[in-house]
DNA sequence: CTCTTTTACGTAAACGTTTACGTTGGGTGG
DNA sequence: CCACCCAACGTAAACGTTTACGTAAAAGAG
């Protein structure tokens, strides 16, 4: 069994209060006893019990992160940013994957509540009323990452999806493309689906190009398979298209893959721009031009927002819209 | 402030001991008081404090996972498997990323020790003496994932790297290739580097083909850039090569990318087989033939081994060598 | 030198549980 | 009817800390 503060106190010939004081560097001890206590701590290899500390301080220095799925390629970077910042600020992170399932999410929330975590980062999923109410009752701060809530006052960090989609489309237009298609995500997804579609549509309209349902494919999700299927449909539906805006990098990979299988040359026959800038975007063949989100930065930002709330005690903090950026690589070609 | 067991006890008109008993379903209460207590619990929305429980039970139902880096594409799948199994068995997982830095690793271990986690999964890095001794002192079980220790008796789950590399090379030989090159990882890496090199070498020798230093490139790591550079060197060094064994999928992607940039047709000009079967392997262009590790399964296995040790109290449990598997896709072609 | 303040501690309660032990009351066997 | 047992509780200690409060000695003021 590990040593306790009592062992240290006894061996150093002081009370446990004194040991606690030097441990937390609180006033009330002489330089001499400090040395003595520290020496005993060193000697025994004593390390304080964070569980006991958590009990009395009502603080566990642990935060929870809820991902809808751990298989998405976004999570690596998000998690990376979150963990880095959290650790820098002295906290650990517990990961959960809810599989976008309401019941599982509630179970996780309950678990996190019982563990008395200090805060929650909720990633890439819609914040249902049930979740919000529960977390509210928990009385701990939360921030949304790569999602937002129209119904509840919860701070979030995101890029502006509509703007980013607008930028991507505009980029294609600037390259001289007129017939532009889109492989979108779910149009009923108000967070990542609809806004990107709207940005696409708006960019076309601003350029005086008619938006037609013929030029867009609505997928179920944002995955590779969606891109594969979407590309097939789009090519069949509107073969005259010269450029495509894919609503995610994974969709773009699917599109690239379909193109490869069917002898469509990218970017010679058709240009493609993705969305996300996953680390594998530059590994694609050809390297994927995409509108990038600062993923790691977003994770870090979410974490620091959470800690800001923890320290200040405020339940709210300013939202952060992080800038997107076009990464010019090799899947888009100038249209003569 | 959340309700405590006292609130429940008072409101139900019983002692806290009784509440605790119905909570943990321990004998010593009548059906009637059970109903009464449960009703109050429901009414107040009481949820037990896991921190207090952890203090008295010496069990936090939390495990720690140490990754060298969160950017590697392997972590997603490993983490997925670990988290799934851990959650199934009632535990949470804290992720750490050590950046393969000794000092940081020790800091993380100390943190995890203070948090009194139940066990540790140590992933894809060498277990230094310092780490081992510390964890040993912590007195909690640990298992190694995708790594092993020659010096210390720590159970691990891995695939047999040498066998897998042998299989990959053999596969190329069976396809009629005679001049085979390898882009390896670090040859001084006794875990993931050397064994794969040895498997490669052995397969060649078994087929009566001389192994020459000309046919192998030693990289620093297993990343994309290593593949990019490695491919360049290899093509310059041994242009007669018709097939390549890449020591990781990321290396293979780098090789693919280099080939694309320099007009080398895969698999027409040269065949490539990778190692890992990352989820993006099938998204590659062309889809990557590779020798796959059952990544999610490995994560799950590591977690269940850990819990087996926790339950049995044994400090050791049988190692698991999981089977690898050749995924035939489109980067290898039969040599006429 | 005396009185007051400050420093350097120690004592004990508190955090929210679990659990060993003690205490009832009703039931059973004889 | 008595002795006994067992089910159904309650009491209190324990887990390892932090911290309010008390106290003795040292330091400072006059």
């Amino acid at each position: 069994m590990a040593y306790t503060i009592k062992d240290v106190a006894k061996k150093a010939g002081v009370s446990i209060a004194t040991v606690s004081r030097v441990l937390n560097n609180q006033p009330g001890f002489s330089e001499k006893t400090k040395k003595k206590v520290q020496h005993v701590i060193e000697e025994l290899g004593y390390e304080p019990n964070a569980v006991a500390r958590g009990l009395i301080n009502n603080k566990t220095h642990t935060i929870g992160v809820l991902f809808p799925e751990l298989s998405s390629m976004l999570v690596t970077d998000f998690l990376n940013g979150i963990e880095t910042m959290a650790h820098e600020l002295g906290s650990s992170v517990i990961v959960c994957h809810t599989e976008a399932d309401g019941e599982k999410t509630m179970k996780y929330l309950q678990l996190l509540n019982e563990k008395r975590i200090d805060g929650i980062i909720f990633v890439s999923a819609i914040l249902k009323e049930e979740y919000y109410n529960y977390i509210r009752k928990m009385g701990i701060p939360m921030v949304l990452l790569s999602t937002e809530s129209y119904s509840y006052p919860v701070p979030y960090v995101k890029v502006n999806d509509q703007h980013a989609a607008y930028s991507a489309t505009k980029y294609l237009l600037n390259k001289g493309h007129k017939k532009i298609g889109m492989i979108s995500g779910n149009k009923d997804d108000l967070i990542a689906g609809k806004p990107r579609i709207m940005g696409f549509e708006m960019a076309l309209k601003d350029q005086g190009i008619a938006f037609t349902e013929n030029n867009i494919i609505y997928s179920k999700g944002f995955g590779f398979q969606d891109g594969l299927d979407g590309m097939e449909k789009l090519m069949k539906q509107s073969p005259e298209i010269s450029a495509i805006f894919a609503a995610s990098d994974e969709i773009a990979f699917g599109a690239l893959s379909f193109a490869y299988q069917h002898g469509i040359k990218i970017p010679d026959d058709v240009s493609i721009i993705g969305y996300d800038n996953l680390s594998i975007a530059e590994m694609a063949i050809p390297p994927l031009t995409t509108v990038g989100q600062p993923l790691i930065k977003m994770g870090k930002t979410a974490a620091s927002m959470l800690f800001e709330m923890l320290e200040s005690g405020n339940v709210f903090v300013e939202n952060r819209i992080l800038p997107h950026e076009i990464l010019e690589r090799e899947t888009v070609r100038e249209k003569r």
Side-chain angles (χ1 to χ4, degrees), chain A:
Chain A
M1 195 59 62
Y3 292 109
T4 75
I5 202 173
K6 278 182 203 161
D7 301 316
V8 177
K10 190 175 296 178
K11 186 148 192 178
V14 298
S15 76
I16 60 171
T18 300
V19 177
S20 175
R21 277 188 273 258
V22 347
L23 235 32
N24 300 295
N25 207 28
Q26 244 137 7
F29 55 86
S30 69
E31 194 60 25
K32 200 168 60 181
T33 58
K34 175 178 174 180
K35 289 279 175 242
K36 192 168 53 182
V37 169
Q38 285 181 332
H39 182 257
V40 174
I41 288 176
E42 197 70 30
E43 195 178 334
L44 294 182
Y46 164 78
E47 271 165 19
N49 184 328
V51 179
R53 280 181 161 174
L55 182 58
I56 197 162
N57 290 332
N58 251 333
K59 214 146 185 297
T60 51
H61 293 282
T62 306
I63 65 174
V65 183
L66 281 94
F67 290 103
E69 45 176 357
L70 287 179
S71 56
S72 156
M73 328 216 62
L74 288 164
V75 322
T76 328
D77 286 335
F78 281 155
L79 187 57
N80 195 333
I82 293 170
E83 207 280 335
T84 302
M85 184 57 78
H87 187 243
E88 212 164 279
L89 274 55
S91 279
S92 310
V93 357
I94 289 182
V95 293
C96 307
H97 82 290
T98 63
E99 297 173 25
D101 176 275
E103 218 167 314
K104 284 208 176 190
T105 304
M106 289 306 293
K107 277 259 186 293
Y108 268 112
L109 287 177
Q110 185 179 337
L111 198 77
L112 293 174
N113 181 34
E114 293 188 0
K115 291 237 162 90
R116 300 297 194 262
I117 55 162
D118 299 334
I120 287 186
I121 296 178
F122 189 87
V123 190
S124 293
I126 57 164
L127 183 67
K128 294 195 198 165
E129 179 179 3
E130 198 184 9
Y131 310 160
Y132 175 72
N133 286 336
Y134 191 91
I135 297 171
R136 199 181 147 80
K137 281 218 184 88
M138 287 173 71
I140 61 175
M142 81 181 294
V143 353
L144 306 177
L145 174 53
S146 192
T147 177
E148 67 182 300
S149 172
Y150 297 124
S151 314
Y152 311 106
V154 182
Y156 59 83
V157 28
K158 263 176 66 50
V159 309
N160 186 318
D161 284 63
Q162 190 169 337
H163 282 193
Y166 187 98
S167 299
T169 313
K170 193 75 189 300
Y171 176 81
L172 295 176
L173 289 164
N174 286 346
K175 290 290 181 184
H177 294 279
K178 307 275 186 225
K179 314 268 190 185
I180 302 179
M182 174 173 183
I183 306 176
S184 85
N186 190 327
K187 72 175 153 184
D188 298 325
D189 175 345
L190 273 337
I191 306 298
K194 193 74 181 171
R196 296 180 197 177
I197 295 171
M198 287 175 62
F200 171 70
E201 202 174 325
M202 188 179 290
L204 292 185
K205 286 201 176 132
D206 281 3
Q207 206 76 0
I209 297 180
F211 167 83
T212 132
E213 284 291 328
N214 240 15
N215 290 1
I216 189 165
I217 299 293
Y218 302 106
S219 314
K220 275 157 240 126
F222 292 87
F224 180 73
Q225 192 62 45
D226 296 305
L228 217 50
D229 300 344
M231 185 66 169
E232 175 164 22
K233 287 185 201 152
L234 190 58
M235 288 291 95
K236 193 166 294 174
Q237 190 169 302
S238 303
E240 75 282 6
I241 273 171
S242 75
I244 295 172
F245 169 41
S248 80
D249 279 359
E250 282 200 50
I251 289 180
F253 292 140
L256 244 40
S257 215
F258 180 88
Y260 168 76
Q261 284 164 19
H262 293 79
I264 302 168
K265 301 263 188 241
I266 310 289
D268 305 293
D269 299 340
V270 21
S271 292
I272 294 183
I273 186 169
Y275 189 110
D276 280 339
N277 192 30
L278 299 178
S279 52
I280 54 170
E282 59 174 342
M283 305 184 193
I285 293 180
L288 184 67
T289 294
T290 191
V291 37
Q293 308 191 63
L295 302 169
I296 297 184
K297 182 91 174 287
M298 288 167 77
K300 285 190 184 177
T301 306
S304 35
M305 282 166 73
L306 194 65
F307 286 102
E308 201 179 318
M309 294 165 79
L310 275 168
E311 280 175 27
S312 69
N314 292 339
V315 349
F316 201 81
V317 86
E318 220 178 324
N319 297 318
R320 305 283 165 82
I321 307 287
L322 267 44
H324 56 269
E325 176 193 11
I326 302 259
L327 285 299
E328 296 200 72
R329 289 196 272 249
E330 304 174 23
T331 52
V332 174
R333 153 157 316 178
E334 190 109 23
K335 178 90 175 169
R336 80 239 100 93

